[in-house]
Amino acid sequence: MEYVSPEGLRLDGRRPMEMRQIRAEIGAVAKADGSAVFEMGNTKVISAVYGPREVQNWSQQISDKALVRCEYSMANFSTGDRMRKPKGDRRSTEISLVIRQTMEACIMTHLMPRSQIDIFVQVLQADGGTRSACINAATLALADAGIPLQDLVTSCSAGYLNSTPLLDLNYVEDSAGGPDVTVGFLPKLDKVTLLQMDSKLSLDLFENVMQLAIEGCKAVANYIREILLENTKQLEYRRGL
Amino acid sequence: MGLPDASGDLSSEMEVDAFRRLFPLRFYERHLAESIRPDGRPLGRARDTTIALGAVTSADGSALAKIGSTTMLAAVKMEVMTPSMESPDEGCIAIDFHMPPICSPIVRPGRPAEAAPVVSKQLSDTISSGKAAWMAYLDIYCLDADGALFDAALLSAVAALFHLQIPAVSLNDDGKIVVSEEDGGKLEKEPVNKEKRKLTLRSIPFSLTCILHKNYILADPTSEEEAIMETLVTVVLDSSSQLISLYKPGGAVLAYTSAVQDCIALTRQRVRELQKILDEANSGMEVD
């Protein structure tokens, strides 16, 4: 099947190095300490952060750091065919772990000992790149909750099909069987915190694809920064400053 | 802990918040005596309600309903199934209500909220089945829990069913039903129904939850009000003002007939408001 036409257009009309349209909104869940909705093309994810708060299970308390918990779940209607088991299956457990470890690396947990920070992500619509959308949404929600972070974590995926590196794969491109590289990146510190890949890719090509994903992450970071700046302006305005 | 002075004039913001946390019942009663609630609403008024149809593009019908801060997302997915022997003409609807941990600080992952199966059961009793051998899976996700969960869930479910378009199907050679493509497709298959059609709903249920406290009736409680004053009454009426369901699960306050009738009157008013909001949302969709 042809994923990149001879003119250089992908199935949804994008260029190989073009990301899907991103949209983010802060403060979607009124009850949560911090929340955000993040959309990458048709993939829509909502995330809520509760914390820092008292540890619910006293035996899990850590005396010098905050405990970070994360849960990833997909809505039954998020994928094409209705999913029977939205959480507790292996994929969800794995992604929960990945998101937790990624966010834990950038939260300054030593500032909040003996407390707990809960990050919940719910996928409302899935069209490829859910992992990345979840990490981006979690970053925004943590920023909205006012939790001290070392840097924003942004994430983007890239692949390689029809001898072309492609940025931000959607579901059809992802299920094509080609490699899918997901990168979690700290833009200010210029460090990579998450790197996952499936399928096969030769080493020289891998360097290219990873760089492409990092460029995508930087673009997402710029957008997230704009959103946060806008949000702060709104808060200042409401306070009459 | 010093109480605020008798004139009710609380000098600084800190005192109000502390009083609200430490003596919630007294805080509320001071407001109820003036026939008003802390968020400024009169006792019988519900919060601002909005409905957005078609929130989830991958589902056959969907809606997002918000009552104040309580947010519910409902989506319907259709699947073909073989009808049962006793009722070969009837399809079936399966309703699932989820409360993911994002909706409220008291829901813990791994432990479903207590409210969830109760609301599921209430919804199943209220909504009746559709036509043809279709299996409709209705999933409702609570995205923000701020009181009156059943009302918001029912509203979003009804709006999603309103928005639902049954996809066009055709019978292929093996005798199996296959969803046909939008753009014509192969002509060997005889389409069973030519185009997507909307579901015909007999009568639309709307509901209102009220809280009874002493002799006050508060319509559309927030989660704070629900937590302090525990006696709830939920009335479900349909668009022709016929009573579908009345639900009062115990509680400290015993309701006399007059209180129940007042609740029903409030619900009747609410039904008119909700009907208008649903129609506006629907016509907004059709303009597109």
Side-chain angles (χ1 to χ4, degrees):
Chain A
M1 187 174 163
E2 201 182 68
Y3 294 98
V4 185
S5 74
E7 297 90 46
L9 291 178
R10 289 152 80 171
L11 292 170
D12 49 6
R14 284 186 284 156
R15 298 245 151 235
M17 310 257 185
E18 203 181 315
M19 269 186 79
R20 290 176 291 184
Q21 175 134 79
I22 10 181
R23 210 196 72 114
E25 194 186 300
I26 303 190
V29 179
K31 278 228 157 265
D33 293 320
S35 59
V37 174
F38 199 87
E39 285 179 53
M40 286 172 97
N42 282 334
T43 300
K44 188 166 175 183
V45 158
I46 187 170
S47 134
V49 165
Y50 289 97
R53 56 178 175 176
E54 205 179 322
V55 182
Q56 282 165 341
N57 192 354
W58 193 85
S59 55
Q60 289 177 341
Q61 203 182 57
I62 311 177
S63 57
D64 59 345
K65 298 199 296 186
L67 176 70
V68 177
R69 277 200 316 179
C70 177
E71 194 187 78
Y72 165 94
S73 80
M74 298 184 78
N76 280 340
F77 45 76
S78 57
T79 54
D81 304 313
R82 186 177 181 266
M83 288 188 70
R84 299 298 155 142
K85 218 179 166 216
K87 54 178 167 173
D89 63 316
R90 292 187 309 197
R91 182 175 170 273
S92 299
T93 319
E94 190 243 331
I95 300 185
S96 301
L97 184 70
V98 162
I99 299 179
R100 178 171 71 77
Q101 289 178 330
T102 311
M103 306 321 292
E104 208 168 7
C106 74
I107 299 178
M108 297 190 186
T109 47
H110 58 278
L111 292 178
M112 300 161 285
R114 292 183 294 276
S115 69
Q116 177 178 305
I117 298 174
D118 286 322
I119 306 172
F120 299 119
V121 240
Q122 178 87 22
V123 177
L124 300 173
Q125 260 179 240
D127 187 26
T130 51
R131 202 175 300 227
S132 302
C134 287
I135 292 177
N136 294 329
T139 300
L140 268 175
L142 285 168
D144 186 34
I147 292 182
L149 300 173
Q150 283 177 356
D151 195 0
L152 301 172
V153 187
T154 56
S155 170
C156 193
S157 66
Y160 189 80
L161 286 172
N162 288 148
S163 322
T164 332
L166 302 174
L167 180 61
D168 195 14
L169 306 172
N170 62 22
Y171 181 71
V172 183
E173 291 166 344
D174 203 355
S175 20
D180 174 17
V181 177
T182 306
V183 172
F185 187 66
L186 304 175
K188 265 241 173 75
L189 299 175
D190 204 22
K191 288 192 183 169
V192 170
T193 120
L194 166 71
L195 182 57
Q196 277 190 310
M197 189 184 101
D198 54 15
S199 185
K200 286 192 297 193
L201 193 57
S202 64
L203 268 179
D204 43 333
L205 290 170
F206 175 73
E207 196 58 54
N208 273 352
V209 174
M210 191 177 105
Q211 270 310 117
L212 186 58
I214 291 181
E215 291 304 311
C217 291
K218 288 184 187 160
V220 175
N222 281 338
Y223 180 72
I224 286 186
R225 255 189 229 115
E226 266 174 39
I227 293 278
L228 287 172
L229 212 54
E230 184 61 44
N231 189 44
T232 312
K233 282 199 190 127
Q234 285 284 328
L235 290 172
E236 279 183 340
Y237 177 68
R238 275 183 220 154
R239 284 208 160 183
L241 291 171
Chain B
M1 178 70 210
L3 293 173
D5 40 316
S7 63
D9 179 15
L10 302 152
S11 41
S12 72
E13 217 175 73
M14 273 310 285
E15 270 194 77
V16 177
D17 280 343
F19 188 56
R20 190 176 191 157
R21 286 290 188 96
L22 292 170
F23 306 100
L25 209 48
R26 267 198 273 209
F27 179 79
Y28 270 89
E29 281 176 1
R30 290 181 82 110
H31 285 82
L32 293 177
E34 314 281 334
S35 295
I36 202 163
R37 290 145 91 169
D39 54 1
R41 285 187 282 159
L43 299 186
R45 171 124 48 98
R47 292 171 285 182
D48 290 335
T49 311
T50 47
I51 304 180
L53 297 177
V56 179
T57 42
S58 53
D60 299 313
S62 60
L64 178 75
K66 275 183 84 132
I67 298 185
S69 301
T70 303
T71 311
M72 296 275 171
L73 179 62
V76 188
K77 275 201 129 8
M78 308 292 282
E79 270 179 23
V80 187
M81 66 160 217
T82 45
S84 63
M85 288 296 142
E86 307 94 56
S87 43
D89 266 341
E90 275 188 15
C92 167
I93 184 166
I95 304 178
D96 222 353
F97 179 73
H98 307 259
M99 280 190 77
I102 57 172
C103 68
S104 161
I106 48 178
V107 177
R108 282 204 256 161
R111 271 236 202 129
E114 295 164 348
V118 174
V119 179
S120 261
K121 180 78 178 49
Q122 279 185 286
L123 287 170
S124 304
D125 291 337
T126 314
I127 300 180
S128 53
S129 58
K131 292 185 170 205
W134 283 105
M135 178 86 191
Y137 288 103
L138 174 64
D139 291 297
I140 305 172
Y141 276 78
C142 179
L143 298 178
D144 200 346
D146 193 23
L149 296 181
F150 179 72
D151 295 344
L154 184 62
L155 189 60
S156 65
V158 157
L161 288 171
F162 216 72
H163 177 248
L164 175 66
Q165 292 194 315
I166 303 181
V169 285
S170 48
L171 209 54
N172 78 0
D173 307 318
D174 302 332
K176 290 208 179 129
I177 302 265
V178 171
V179 179
S180 44
E181 304 295 316
E182 297 269 324
D183 40 87
K186 304 181 187 59
L187 291 169
E188 304 121 38
K189 300 182 199 165
E190 190 56 50
V192 170
N193 46 340
K194 291 267 189 303
E195 61 204 14
K196 290 187 171 189
R197 55 188 172 88
K198 288 193 108 175
L199 197 64
T200 41
L201 298 170
R202 278 198 299 261
S203 66
I204 309 176
F206 293 107
S207 75
L208 181 67
T209 306
C210 303
I211 282 201
L212 302 176
H213 178 69
K214 295 198 182 157
N215 40 2
Y216 300 109
I217 300 180
L218 283 73
D220 191 22
T222 62
S223 57
E224 198 186 347
E225 289 166 355
E226 275 181 3
I228 313 168
M229 301 174 263
E230 288 172 346
T231 312
L232 287 179
V233 174
T234 304
V235 180
V236 186
L237 294 178
D238 74 2
S239 29
S240 49
S241 287
Q242 285 187 317
L243 183 67
I244 300 184
S245 136
L246 180 69
Y247 180 70
K248 180 184 185 300
V253 178
L254 305 171
Y256 291 103
T257 330
S258 53
V260 174
Q261 280 179 344
D262 287 335
C263 291
I264 297 181
L266 282 171
T267 312
R268 211 172 279 143
Q269 224 179 352
R270 178 79 172 141
V271 165
R272 282 197 287 266
E273 278 172 30
L274 288 176
Q275 183 82 50
K276 211 161 56 127
I277 296 176
L278 188 59
D279 287 335
E280 271 170 20
N282 198 31
S283 55
M285 280 294 291
E286 267 157 28
V287 168
D288 292 338

